[in-house]
Amino acid sequence: MRARRLTGPYDPSMSVVASVFVGLAALLHVYIFWMESLAWTRPEIWRRFGVADQAAADVTRPMAYNQGFYNLFLGLGAALGVVLWWTGHQEVGKALMLFGTGSMVAAATVLVTTGRSYLRAALSQGTVPLIGFVLTLVA
């Protein structure tokens, strides 16, 4: 007897894995929001972003605060997409998951264009969303 292959929006093989990666990408971007918008003036945070000293952190604080909210909105959008996907609104959920993770990958790509020294940060910021994006496409 042949095993029946499940397909569609609730295919447990890809849908769950895609949702996990999109959820992880969302959590990562909420964490980046926290670092940039709420904890920026802590030395362990601004050093992680390559800021030279406390004075430079104070000067760049408004920019980091603003940038952090971009990350928060992307993370919340991707997370909302996962929730909608699993509550019966597959088309809207998938669209939000793809938009959120696609925007995260695009932001990481832009970060690489800033200079080679940003490659590690871009990979950290963009790898999980890229995996989530691809898995969502095929789910």
Side-chain angles (χ1 to χ4, degrees), residues 35-83:
M35 288 190 294
E36 292 176 337
S37 295
L38 304 177
W40 185 254
T41 56
R42 295 180 184 181
E44 66 274 12
I45 300 299
W46 52 256
R47 282 187 193 119
R48 182 176 292 165
F49 287 86
V51 175
D53 54 35
Q54 188 66 51
D58 292 339
V59 168
T60 57
R61 185 175 184 200
M63 182 224 37
Y65 180 79
N66 186 34
Q67 186 171 303
F69 274 91
Y70 282 90
N71 284 295
L72 176 65
F73 300 146
L74 290 175
L76 291 177
L80 179 60
V82 172
V83 170

Side-chain angles (χ1 to χ4, degrees), residues 55-135:
D58 292 339
V59 168
T60 57
R61 185 175 184 200
M63 182 224 37
Y65 180 79
N66 186 34
Q67 186 171 303
F69 274 91
Y70 282 90
N71 284 295
L72 176 65
F73 300 146
L74 290 175
L76 291 177
L80 179 60
V82 172
V83 170
L84 289 171
W85 176 304
W86 289 103
T87 57
H89 305 281
Q90 292 82 25
E91 293 81 16
V92 175
K94 188 171 188 174
L96 278 172
M97 290 165 69
L98 290 171
F99 178 79
T101 55
S103 295
M104 293 170 188
V105 171
T109 303
V110 170
L111 186 56
V112 170
T113 67
T114 306
R116 296 192 89 182
S117 63
Y118 292 97
L119 179 60
R120 182 175 179 205
L123 288 172
S124 297
Q125 176 181 320
T127 301
V128 173
L130 177 60
I131 294 168
F133 183 88
V134 171
L135 291 174

